Amino acid sequence: MLKNIHPLANWFTDEIKDRNSRILQRPKALTISDLHKTFEHKGKKVNVLNAIDFTAYKREFVCVVGPSGCGKSTLARLIAGLETHEVGAIHIEDKLVDGPGPDRGMVFQSYSLFPWMTVKQNVMFGLTESGMSKNSAEAEAFQWIDLVGLEKFANAYPHQLSGGMKQRVAIIRALANQPKILLMDEPFAALDPQNRLKMQRYLLEIWQNIDITIFFITHDLDEAIYLADRILILEANPGRVLETLSVPLPRPRKEDTLLSPEFLATKAYLEKIVHPPQAEVDMEDKLSMVRMVSVNSEVPDIF
Ligand SMILES: Nc1ncnc2c1ncn2[C@@H]1O[C@H](COP(=O)(O)OP(=O)(O)OP(=O)(O)O)[C@@H](O)[C@H]1O
């Protein structure tokens, strides 16, 4: 009988296979088991996430991709304990998630810094809240601020920072509380491409230096491939796991990683399964409907 060979199989060198199998032998950091989530929409139940099973291992960098509406943000919010689910379970290490907790840090696209606090105060906030003395929290905050090169901005307010700087503060503010897992939902989506790439490099540098598992949601396939050890690919309606893909790229990732043949092959593969031809056909249908409306036609009263 013919065995199914993965289209990317040839790109997995022995070194990459070894690294990937070592990751899967580490202790579990996050376990999602048979997770189901429904929302009410116009009085009807809509099944948003269906039977999601996934495990992330300690210090693994996981990216989640999938078409719009497949439930990526909902999944992050469920892990954060900000939403409840009907069926299934989520564990951080062996602790069941039943609400928000300090074992999970979150960074969103919108800069969630306290605008009335300086960079230093923002980073200190969680530390003093959890009972650390002001002096120790300040010393700790400075170490984190140094790590991301923002020493000169320790006393600046968020409105005085660029988008990239704000996200660096949001990341260290989350990390200062020593979570076991960092949940990131499109954290760099609002940045221009150059700053986005800079932030991706920063994040990889931080991740390499501390003991943290990252669960990172993105629309951007390049970003997912550049950052991840594994990519959790979801499909929509209902949101389901389509595939869990180990990334066939060595570490450390460098600038020219983005131009390597294995990167381009992975991108082509992801494009095909995340945005399959059917979606293109649907889009083409929509476009031809738009084209059918003549420029002289009255604009329907729906706007
Ligand atoms: N609070 C809510 N009430 C009702 N429906 C919701 C709610 N939150 C999300 N949904 C619906 O659940 C589905 C999944 O939403 P979600 O934001 O998780 O998807 P996503 O994959 O993150 O989308 P995108 O990539 O566009 O951000 C969508 O159809 C959305 O409309």
Side-chain angles (χ1 to χ4, degrees):
M1 219 167 70
L2 274 178
K3 234 173 117 185
N4 268 345
I5 297 177
H6 194 281
L8 294 174
N10 287 338
W11 296 105
F12 287 92
T13 60
D14 287 344
E15 187 195 331
I16 293 169
K17 277 191 215 158
D18 264 10
R19 184 171 189 279
N20 289 343
S21 72
R22 269 184 275 122
I23 292 174
L24 303 187
Q25 284 161 24
R26 292 180 196 159
K28 292 173 180 175
L30 162 75
T31 312
I32 304 169
S33 327
D34 192 32
L35 187 73
H36 292 249
K37 171 72 185 168
T38 52
F39 281 119
E40 287 256 331
H41 183 65
K42 294 186 180 163
K44 271 175 54 186
K45 283 200 162 182
V46 182
N47 192 2
V48 173
L49 290 171
N50 194 48
I52 305 289
D53 281 309
F54 180 73
T55 303
Y57 296 86
K58 226 168 168 352
R59 296 213 62 243
E60 191 178 13
F61 201 130
V62 173
C63 284
V64 185
V65 301
S68 193
C70 69
K72 301 183 290 297
S73 294
T74 304
L75 184 57
R77 290 175 59 76
L78 285 164
I79 299 170
L82 301 171
E83 297 272 0
T84 54
H85 53 274
E86 296 80 24
V87 180
I90 300 172
H91 288 84
I92 302 296
E93 294 183 356
D94 47 15
K95 190 171 166 284
L96 184 71
V97 169
D98 57 3
D103 51 356
R104 285 144 291 153
M106 286 219 68
V107 178
F108 299 97
Q109 177 184 341
S110 55
Y111 315 113
S112 44
L113 301 176
F114 300 125
W116 62 89
M117 287 186 189
T118 63
V119 166
K120 185 180 77 184
Q121 289 163 341
N122 263 288
V123 181
M124 284 172 63
F125 179 76
L127 299 172
T128 49
E129 281 295 290
S130 63
M132 194 181 273
S133 74
K134 194 167 169 271
N135 281 349
S136 308
E138 195 166 30
E140 177 104 17
F142 273 126
Q143 283 184 15
W144 284 104
I145 292 168
D146 273 358
L147 182 74
V148 291
L150 288 176
E151 306 86 329
K152 289 189 188 139
F153 294 88
N155 294 316
Y157 286 88
H159 74 270
Q160 298 170 306
L161 306 176
S162 69
M165 286 168 159
K166 280 187 231 178
Q167 280 312 54
R168 274 189 263 168
V169 180
I171 292 168
I172 58 171
R173 188 180 65 167
L175 290 176
N177 299 317
Q178 300 194 328
K180 294 190 166 129
I181 182 162
L182 184 62
L183 303 166
M184 306 185 83
D185 191 355
E186 301 266 10
F188 308 145
L191 303 178
D192 60 74
Q194 228 176 346
N195 276 315
R196 190 169 185 151
L197 194 57
K198 241 196 230 167
M199 284 304 299
Q200 291 163 358
R201 279 196 225 119
Y202 254 118
L203 183 62
L204 285 181
E205 231 174 272
I206 296 172
W207 170 69
Q208 267 146 20
N209 284 309
I210 60 170
D211 180 13
I212 188 82
T213 306
I214 300 186
F215 194 82
F216 187 109
I217 287 164
T218 180
H219 264 107
D220 183 333
L221 301 182
D222 292 87
E223 183 166 72
I225 304 165
Y226 183 62
L227 295 175
D229 291 314
R230 279 189 305 154
I231 302 177
L232 175 62
I233 308 162
L234 299 182
E235 62 181 339
N237 302 315
R240 264 192 302 232
V241 177
L242 189 60
E243 184 179 338
T244 307
L245 177 74
S246 289
V247 175
L249 297 175
R251 292 214 187 259
R253 308 271 158 87
K254 305 195 182 101
E255 230 162 281
D256 56 9
T257 297
L258 293 154
L259 300 170
S260 67
E262 52 272 43
F263 184 96
L264 299 174
T266 310
K267 170 96 183 274
Y269 174 71
L270 277 180
E271 281 285 3
K272 210 158 145 191
I273 65 167
V274 176
H275 308 126
Q278 186 52 41
E280 280 166 36
V281 171
D282 290 345
M283 182 53 77
E284 194 46 41
D285 283 346
K286 280 185 196 145
L287 287 174
S288 55
M289 276 179 65
V290 171
R291 279 185 220 115
M292 278 163 60
V293 180
S294 119
V295 282
N296 294 322
S297 304
E298 275 186 39
V299 178
D301 190 21
I302 54 168
F303 298 105

